[in-house]
Amino acid sequence: MNKKQKNNLYRIIISAVLLTGLHFVPVKGVLRFLLYLIPYFIIGYDVLRKAFKGIKNRQPMDESLLMCVATVGAMTLAIYRDLTGQTGDYVEAIAVMLFYQIGEWFQSVAVGRSRRNISELMDIRPDYANIETDGKIEQVDPDEVEPGIVIYVHPGEKIPIDGTVSAGTSTLDTAALTGESLPRNVTEGDEVISGCINLTSPLYIRTTREFGDSTVSKILDLVENASSRKSKSEDFITKFARVYTPAVVYSALALAILPPVFRMICGAAPYWGDFIYRALAFLVISCPCALVVSIPLSFFAGIGGASHAGVLIKGSNYMETLSEVDTVVFDKTGTLTRGSFEVDAVHHSPVDEAQLIEAVALAEAASTHPISLSLRRAYGKELDRSRVSDIEEIAGQGIRARVDGRDIAVGNTKLMSAVGADYIECPNDMGTVIHVALEGVYAGHIVISDTIKPHSAEAVKALKNLGIKRTIMLTGDASRIADSVAAELGLDEVHSELLPSDKVDRVDRLITERSGKGRLAFVGDGINDAPVLSRADIGIAMGAMGSDAAIEAADVVLMDDDPLKISRAIAIARKCLRIVKENIVFAIGIKLLCLLLSALGLAGMWLAVFADVGVMVLCVLNAIRALIIRK
Ligand code: ADP
Ligand code: MG
């Protein structure tokens, strides 16, 4: 509890005690009124001040104003009754204010607590980095560490900055980032990301990024900014409140004036006091606080819970879209397959195998494509980059470059046609075929094969179980290999030999031809598919291996590249939206019921205020459920 919350708690207790005490003080008339004013001001001064400010600044009507009109009205009614010889009820107006404040207090404590819970869940922000100077370990601010510097991480500490292990072997706990409880072994040369906890032995890590660009900083930014992207449900509530409050105020006015006037016309007693009272109760009930508080809180909790499971959702609007997905489109390489190719065979090469691979690896020196990384790995030796020049990467086709002064083209059949090389098709269907041409003359092909990720088939099945209607794979690879992957995974459709721009067109077409309100999600690793990620209704990127561009362009990031997380993310989003809808229906339903009862004179202010606070407490508790994610 912070200081303000404590103060408010004292105000609540003091005014409650005073209110009870005054019940036993036998005074009458004006003195009685003045005595009751004391607890009223203690509990309500800030609400009165806020309402007054609102009127002065001509702001639209808000709940402080509703509370003031209702309680001041009830007080006036009580004075009038006192003056006309009946006994006025001052307690009611004060009690209304008191319960309103109890509600506000509960809400601020609950919201504060769940926010803290979420940041604890996201307890990945490192406070320092260790640097070894002259044999001594020194702690420095991670912001000050430049890329390329070696940092030291004790067992039990968080890795503060992304980098590669330069010495040591250890086990990492990645649960805070990926939600995966299985520890990961790392050794010299392995890439490690910040936010993981080093478990067993000390590690020296050469940083590859600045702290601000490291994984932890990015995640924290995303989660902190997520609430600024509003969902339709939140917009709905803001608009709703704008129409609703004036509507309620005018209805209350009508309720106070019309029935008595009507009765007077008919010659009956008007019962002014009765109807004014009903109108005031009506005002108290109408406060929309439960909705206003619980809906953003549900989204916030949902985003927090998802990030704990290794799924970063960049805003409540994406949470909403994700819950409506019925078509999932996948990229192949790096998304459903590992994107880590092995060289299986070299065919039709006029030079010897090792020479061809050397030339190819040199041509691939600058690419980040998984194929390129794999070919360089197959070569295995340090590359002499001075031998390569004029590198040109053609997305979805391959590479052209000059190696040792000779023109070389490495890529698929499209590229071979482009350079005019007479290629030979490879009859096997074991893997991706990379053709090579030297000075425009065909120089054979390298067959490389990729393995399907261990969870890909299960991931497709899990999506089907969630009721996803279509699963589609788009790839730039040859149709033979694409078809065999699609068959193995049980995908509904596959489209192959696409250029990156063809993928955008396909997704466009799928979006325009869809029927109903189902949304389309595209899942990719961002290597030349960032445009598709932004075009889809919702773009899901593989975070660990994915490029920075993908993480920027995507709306949802899967921290550990596991395709099984796609169905997880959808399930989490659906649960969150279900909670939001429950709260909307419940809160509005109870409100309408109470409004009706009060208009009929069946519910007084007491019931009104109980209903209001009760509904809010239940809605807030329900919202917090979104934070709980089943493993
Ligand atoms: P995917 O759709 O499977 O992610 P891409 O669109 O990235 O595939 O690439 C399509 C095809 O283009 C690859 O299968 C490969 O034949 C060729 N290609 C792309 N980049 C390269 C590269 N750097 N080196 C060689 N071939 C490449
Ligand atoms: Mg790709």
Side-chain angles (χ1 to χ4, degrees):
M1 243 190 282
N2 61 28
K3 215 169 126 206
K4 193 166 158 218
Q5 288 166 346
K6 258 191 209 138
N7 273 343
N8 286 345
L9 185 61
Y10 292 144
R11 280 170 59 200
I12 290 169
I13 295 171
I14 292 171
S15 53
V17 169
L18 277 178
L19 198 59
T20 328
L22 281 176
H23 192 64
F24 301 102
V25 181
V27 286
K28 285 227 148 55
V30 179
L31 186 60
R32 191 166 98 101
F33 167 67
L34 290 178
L35 280 177
Y36 272 108
L37 269 189
I38 301 171
Y40 180 68
F41 279 120
I42 291 179
I43 197 68
Y45 73 89
D46 52 342
V47 181
L48 290 167
R49 199 171 54 198
K50 228 167 115 192
F52 183 70
K53 261 198 204 146
I55 296 174
K56 217 174 65 184
N57 300 338
R58 294 166 178 276
Q59 270 159 4
M61 302 184 210
D62 67 350
E63 52 179 41
S64 314
L65 188 63
L66 287 181
M67 291 317 293
C68 288
V69 174
T71 55
V72 170
M75 286 293 232
T76 319
L77 211 57
I79 298 174
Y80 171 78
R81 287 198 168 136
D82 256 0
L83 293 179
T84 53
Q86 303 152 280
T87 340
D89 186 1
Y90 296 110
V91 179
E92 196 157 44
I94 303 166
V96 165
M97 201 55 111
L98 187 66
F99 280 112
Y100 173 73
Q101 293 284 29
I102 292 175
E104 291 288 295
W105 179 81
F106 172 80
Q107 165 199 323
S108 87
V109 172
V111 172
R113 179 148 306 163
S114 65
R115 279 194 190 250
R116 210 162 39 247
N117 267 344
I118 292 164
S119 41
E120 263 161 33
L121 274 181
M122 299 291 307
D123 184 21
I124 49 174
R125 188 190 296 282
D127 306 315
Y128 58 87
N130 301 316
I131 290 187
E132 202 176 50
T133 28
D134 307 328
K136 265 193 304 205
I137 302 271
E138 215 188 324
Q139 290 192 350
V140 300
D141 189 334
D143 254 331
E144 289 165 18
V145 179
E146 277 165 31
I149 286 189
V150 175
I151 54 170
Y152 177 80
V153 184
H154 293 284
E157 281 181 343
K158 260 173 263 162
I159 297 177
I161 303 167
D162 295 358
T164 41
V165 178
S166 65
T169 299
S170 184
T171 326
L172 301 184
D173 174 0
T174 62
L177 294 175
T178 61
E180 217 52 73
S181 48
L182 214 62
R184 189 184 139 208
N185 294 319
V186 291
T187 181
E188 225 179 288
D190 284 344
E191 270 188 44
V192 291
I193 54 176
S194 48
C196 299
I197 297 169
N198 182 15
L199 291 178
T200 45
S201 27
L203 283 176
Y204 288 93
I205 293 168
R206 185 175 299 281
T207 60
T208 49
R209 286 189 165 136
E210 284 183 28
F211 177 61
D213 291 333
S214 286
T215 311
V216 249
S217 304
K218 282 202 196 129
I219 295 178
L220 289 169
D221 275 359
L222 284 182
V223 175
E224 275 156 23
N225 294 324
S227 51
S228 64
R229 302 189 203 221
K230 291 274 177 278
S231 64
K232 276 180 288 168
S233 316
E234 282 165 290
D235 278 347
F236 163 73
I237 290 308
T238 320
K239 288 200 192 106
F240 175 78
R242 218 176 286 150
V243 183
Y244 170 84
T245 315
V248 162
V249 172
Y250 291 124
S251 319
L253 262 178
L255 184 61
I257 298 170
L258 296 183
V261 170
F262 184 69
R263 291 177 67 96
M264 267 156 69
I265 294 170
C266 299
Y271 289 132
W272 281 106
D274 245 27
F275 283 101
I276 290 177
Y277 177 82
R278 284 188 202 182
L280 293 173
F282 193 86
L283 281 182
V284 175
I285 298 165
S286 65
C287 275
C289 8
L291 287 177
V292 172
V293 178
S294 74
I295 288 172
L297 186 66
S298 309
F299 280 113
F300 193 72
I303 289 171
S307 55
H308 195 48
V311 178
L312 294 184
I313 299 174
K314 290 196 193 166
S316 347
N317 51 341
Y318 303 128
M319 182 72 102
E320 200 162 35
T321 316
L322 197 55
S323 73
E324 293 164 358
V325 164
D326 74 347
T327 305
V328 179
V329 180
F330 299 91
D331 184 38
K332 178 178 76 83
T333 315
T335 304
L336 290 172
T337 68
R338 287 189 193 193
S340 158
F341 296 85
E342 299 290 333
V343 171
D344 280 342
V346 177
H347 299 151
H348 312 292
S349 173
V351 293
D352 90 7
E353 218 168 274
Q355 266 178 318
L356 187 77
I357 293 202
E358 183 182 51
V360 164
L362 282 164
E364 297 277 5
S367 170
T368 53
H369 197 281
I371 289 179
S372 165
L373 302 183
S374 308
L375 289 170
R376 265 142 53 197
R377 193 159 21 86
Y379 174 58
K381 282 176 256 176
E382 196 70 37
L383 291 172
D384 176 4
R385 280 162 207 263
S386 65
R387 292 169 59 189
V388 211
S389 63
D390 303 324
I391 297 179
E392 185 192 355
E393 177 149 11
I394 303 147
Q397 296 191 11
I399 302 274
R400 295 187 66 171
R402 289 187 85 78
V403 172
D404 300 329
R406 287 201 302 168
D407 209 20
I408 180 168
V410 184
N412 53 17
T413 53
K414 281 200 188 91
L415 185 70
M416 291 302 111
S417 308
V419 302
D422 234 350
Y423 59 86
I424 302 169
E425 289 274 13
C426 190
N428 83 65
D429 58 357
M430 301 154 16
T432 301
V433 181
I434 301 298
H435 299 272
V436 187
L438 285 167
E439 300 281 20
V441 178
Y442 192 62
H445 52 240
I446 306 171
V447 183
I448 55 177
S449 65
D450 191 7
T451 41
I452 291 175
K453 285 189 188 171
H455 289 158
S456 290
E458 211 181 316
V460 175
K461 212 181 288 155
L463 287 171
K464 292 267 164 220
N465 288 343
L466 279 182
I468 299 297
K469 291 200 196 110
R470 286 168 93 183
T471 52
I472 304 167
M473 184 173 87
L474 302 182
T475 177
D477 209 347
S479 51
R480 201 183 286 136
I481 178 83
D483 290 344
S484 92
V485 170
E488 188 167 340
L489 296 182
L491 292 160
D492 297 332
E493 284 171 48
V494 50
H495 303 280
S496 48
E497 302 183 18
L498 302 173
L499 294 176
S501 61
D502 299 333
K503 293 188 190 172
V504 178
D505 292 344
R506 280 278 163 192
V507 166
D508 252 339
R509 205 179 317 157
L510 286 167
I511 289 177
T512 43
E513 80 194 13
R514 73 164 154 230
S515 55
K517 62 177 239 152
R519 297 307 175 121
L520 179 143
F522 178 81
V523 198
D525 62 349
I527 310 279
N528 69 45
D529 55 20
V532 200
L533 279 172
S534 5
R535 181 62 191 94
D537 292 324
I538 192 135
I540 305 178
M542 296 288 164
M545 200 168 74
S547 64
D548 288 355
I551 296 174
E552 288 291 313
D555 311 315
V556 176
V557 179
L558 307 180
M559 282 313 298
D560 60 356
D561 291 0
D562 182 350
L564 207 49
K565 288 274 162 73
I566 304 163
S567 56
R568 256 329 256 301
I570 294 176
I572 289 170
R574 286 188 185 169
K575 176 178 169 191
C576 181
L577 264 291
R578 198 163 53 235
I579 290 175
V580 167
K581 287 189 184 129
E582 279 164 12
N583 280 353
I584 293 181
V585 170
F586 176 63
I588 295 185
I590 298 281
K591 285 264 128 127
L592 290 179
L593 184 69
C594 289
L595 284 175
L596 189 69
L597 289 178
S598 77
L600 296 176
L602 295 173
M605 273 192 207
W606 282 94
L607 182 77
V609 113
F610 265 123
D612 192 52
V613 174
V615 168
M616 194 195 62
V617 170
L618 291 178
C619 284
V620 166
L621 291 178
N622 195 24
I624 290 174
R625 240 170 22 95
L627 188 61
I628 304 159
I629 304 291
R630 246 176 298 132
K631 281 276 155 190

